[in-house]
Amino acid sequence: MLLDLTSAVHSTPELVIELRVSGGDVELVLAPGMVVDANELSVRHGTLAISGDTGGKAPERLRIRLTGRMRHGRLGVRWQAPQP
């Protein structure tokens, strides 16, 4: 599953995404200034691949809080500039 949030319009400083993954991959594509918090995500037999690079030195404009559970899957996060 691919979630591309590079052009997301938001009215609050935080977006909560609740995951229920039982096998499979989830890829988040974020714009510079978006930060991921996966502290509330329960992972069993899975992999989190969240780079320490938050997409540059842009100020934080949106915090993405991941909750729920992931079993036998992989979560990948990458940053890229929005397409014009």
Side-chain angles (χ1 to χ4, degrees):
M1 170 187 297
L2 176 68
L3 296 173
D4 185 343
L5 301 176
T6 55
S7 298
V9 176
H10 53 88
S11 59
T12 62
E14 181 177 72
L15 170 65
V16 178
I17 299 175
E18 183 173 346
L19 296 173
R20 299 279 183 215
V21 178
S22 182
D25 296 343
V26 176
E27 179 85 15
L28 292 178
V29 183
L30 307 177
M34 294 181 179
V35 176
V36 176
D37 176 357
N39 290 330
E40 295 178 47
L41 180 62
S42 172
V43 179
R44 178 182 280 173
H45 305 294
T47 304
L48 296 180
I50 302 173
S51 166
D53 176 15
T54 60
K57 298 188 186 321
E60 181 178 323
R61 59 184 185 94
L62 180 63
R63 177 169 292 275
I64 299 168
R65 186 163 49 102
L66 302 176
T67 65
R69 66 176 186 249
M70 175 173 271
R71 306 290 184 260
H72 305 285
R74 179 184 181 279
L75 172 73
V77 178
R78 63 186 165 93
W79 282 264
Q80 76 179 35
Q83 299 299 318

